[in-house]
Amino acid sequence: MQYQDIAVLAGKIKKNVARVIIGREEQMDLILTAIIAGGHILLEDVPGTGKTVMARSMAKSLNCAFSRVQFTPDLLPSDVTGVSVYQMGTGTFEFMPGPVFTNILLADEINRATPRTQSALLECMAEKQVTEGGKTRPLDAPFTVIATQNPVETQGTFPLPEAQLDRFLMQLSMGYPDGEEAMQLMERFIRSSPLSEIGPVAEKNEICDAQRLFSQCQVSRPVMEYIAAICQETRDPDTVQLGVSPRGMLALLQASQAYAAIRGRDYVIPDDVKKLAVPVLAHRIILRGLFGRRSENEKFVLSILERVAAPTEAIR
């Protein structure tokens, strides 16, 4: 597989998802970037904006195993990861895999589960493995969590802690359709749901090949210095309570490589970094006196991009 092949693969998937989702090309690009980078996505928006439909459309476009878990307050960690069950016939315990043993996991309304259950995903997301009964079981590749949550309703919810937010490569929003998109949406869904009609257009091994190749994408020293400078600016102690961690900095680097790859390039340019800075960094920041204000975090990252000069010399 070459970088042009990754761009062709991404184009096929986007075209297939566009049979269901109206517009939202930018969100499709970013979700594909996260999948190819081996990262996880948090879709946060009000109900009914297409978060779950987007996740299901992406999953159906990839010929991969797919599981969906509806997170509720009574959900247990073993309901997610699996549990060992005693078999009376053999006198032994047999492990019954949970829904995380898949390729794409849709964690619907993740903030409705208790912190104990939310933490069950930490090892899965960070290490891509499950430890139960003293035995560690690796998850099949590729593995991506697409989680959704509603930012408006707070009753009966448990906000994700910073440690878990840091595990998500990106946080995205679907947004409302404009007038023309609303008309197209009604025309498309007036008789049936196109989601039931789409099939896979990519194979599992193609995603794995893309995940192995994207990390070879060239990143020049000036671009790495640019990424480091942006992250350093998020750690101003006067305005920021929690800045971007080294893990967040590496996430921006890897996401930039994957984004360049789906564009058919084998090198990262500063515009790739600018495009990804908000979705990759904003949810990792806590501004003083503005906890949970995502819009303010996004404005803060955008202000950093205005202050930090991008490299202009040759970057290959």
Side-chain angles (χ1 to χ4, degrees):
M1 176 176 277
Q2 305 297 322
Y3 288 95
Q4 292 78 7
D5 298 325
I6 297 179
V8 171
L9 175 66
K12 288 194 301 182
I13 296 171
K14 285 168 56 181
K15 184 178 180 180
N16 199 49
V17 174
R19 294 171 58 191
V20 180
I21 302 293
I22 303 294
R24 307 301 175 265
E25 186 172 347
E26 179 180 345
Q27 286 89 339
M28 292 184 205
D29 279 338
L30 295 175
I31 291 173
L32 283 170
T33 296
I35 291 174
I36 290 173
H40 311 287
I41 307 107
L42 178 62
L43 295 177
E44 182 182 72
D45 214 324
V46 296
T49 50
K51 302 184 295 297
T52 302
V53 174
M54 172 67 87
R56 293 188 68 90
S57 299
M58 278 288 176
K60 291 193 72 172
S61 298
L62 309 176
N63 198 13
C64 296
F66 171 73
S67 294
R68 176 184 181 275
V69 179
Q70 181 65 51
F71 278 63
T72 56
D74 60 346
L75 194 73
L76 299 176
S78 58
D79 294 329
V80 178
T81 59
V83 64
S84 291
V85 178
Y86 182 72
Q87 302 294 332
M88 295 185 65
T90 61
T92 60
F93 284 90
E94 180 182 353
F95 180 70
M96 308 299 290
V100 295
F101 286 87
T102 187
N103 296 124
I104 297 181
L105 174 68
L106 173 56
D108 223 352
E109 296 186 297
I110 189 173
N111 58 332
R112 285 196 173 278
T114 61
R116 181 187 177 195
T117 302
Q118 290 175 6
S119 66
L121 281 176
L122 287 175
E123 182 184 17
C124 308
M125 295 172 67
E127 310 296 335
K128 300 190 176 178
Q129 64 184 30
V130 171
T131 301
E132 196 278 339
K135 185 175 180 180
T136 298
R137 298 171 174 84
L139 299 174
D140 193 18
F143 175 71
T144 295
V145 174
I146 302 179
T148 70
Q149 68 175 8
N150 173 9
V152 177
E153 189 174 1
T154 58
Q155 187 175 2
T157 62
F158 304 86
L160 293 175
E162 289 71 31
Q164 185 147 6
L165 283 174
D166 205 33
R167 260 65 171 194
F168 285 99
L169 181 65
M170 299 182 192
Q171 181 173 349
L172 307 176
S173 173
M174 295 294 293
Y176 288 113
D178 59 28
E180 180 58 32
E181 289 174 345
M183 292 300 298
Q184 293 179 31
L185 187 65
M186 287 187 286
E187 290 171 355
R188 183 168 297 183
F189 281 82
I190 191 170
R191 291 182 178 86
S192 63
S193 171
L195 180 61
S196 61
E197 301 170 1
I198 66 170
V201 295
E203 295 297 323
K204 176 178 171 179
N205 65 300
E206 292 180 284
I207 302 299
C208 293
D209 289 344
Q211 289 182 339
R212 285 189 289 268
L213 180 61
F214 92 91
S215 60
Q216 304 303 313
C217 193
Q218 300 177 48
V219 186
S220 67
R221 185 172 182 83
V223 172
M224 286 193 285
E225 291 174 347
Y226 181 51
I227 292 173
I230 291 172
C231 294
Q232 182 61 40
E233 285 292 311
T234 69
R235 302 167 190 151
D236 178 11
D238 293 332
T239 57
V240 180
Q241 182 177 339
L242 178 68
V244 173
S245 67
R247 177 165 50 205
M249 180 180 67
L250 292 176
L252 181 56
L253 172 67
Q254 292 163 355
S256 299
Q257 289 177 295
Y259 187 77
I262 70 170
R263 295 296 185 185
R265 284 186 273 105
D266 63 351
Y267 58 94
V268 174
I269 61 176
D271 282 348
D272 297 333
V273 179
K274 291 179 180 180
K275 184 74 174 179
L276 294 162
V278 170
V280 173
L281 302 182
H283 65 285
R284 305 171 191 269
I285 297 170
I286 298 178
L287 298 175
R288 293 193 180 279
L290 296 172
F291 178 78
R293 299 281 294 277
R294 177 184 167 192
S295 60
E296 296 300 323
N297 289 0
E298 291 177 351
K299 291 177 185 177
F300 178 66
V301 174
L302 289 173
S303 70
I304 291 175
L305 294 178
E306 292 177 356
R307 295 197 305 270
V308 178
T312 55
E313 62 266 28
I315 59 174
R316 293 197 65 175

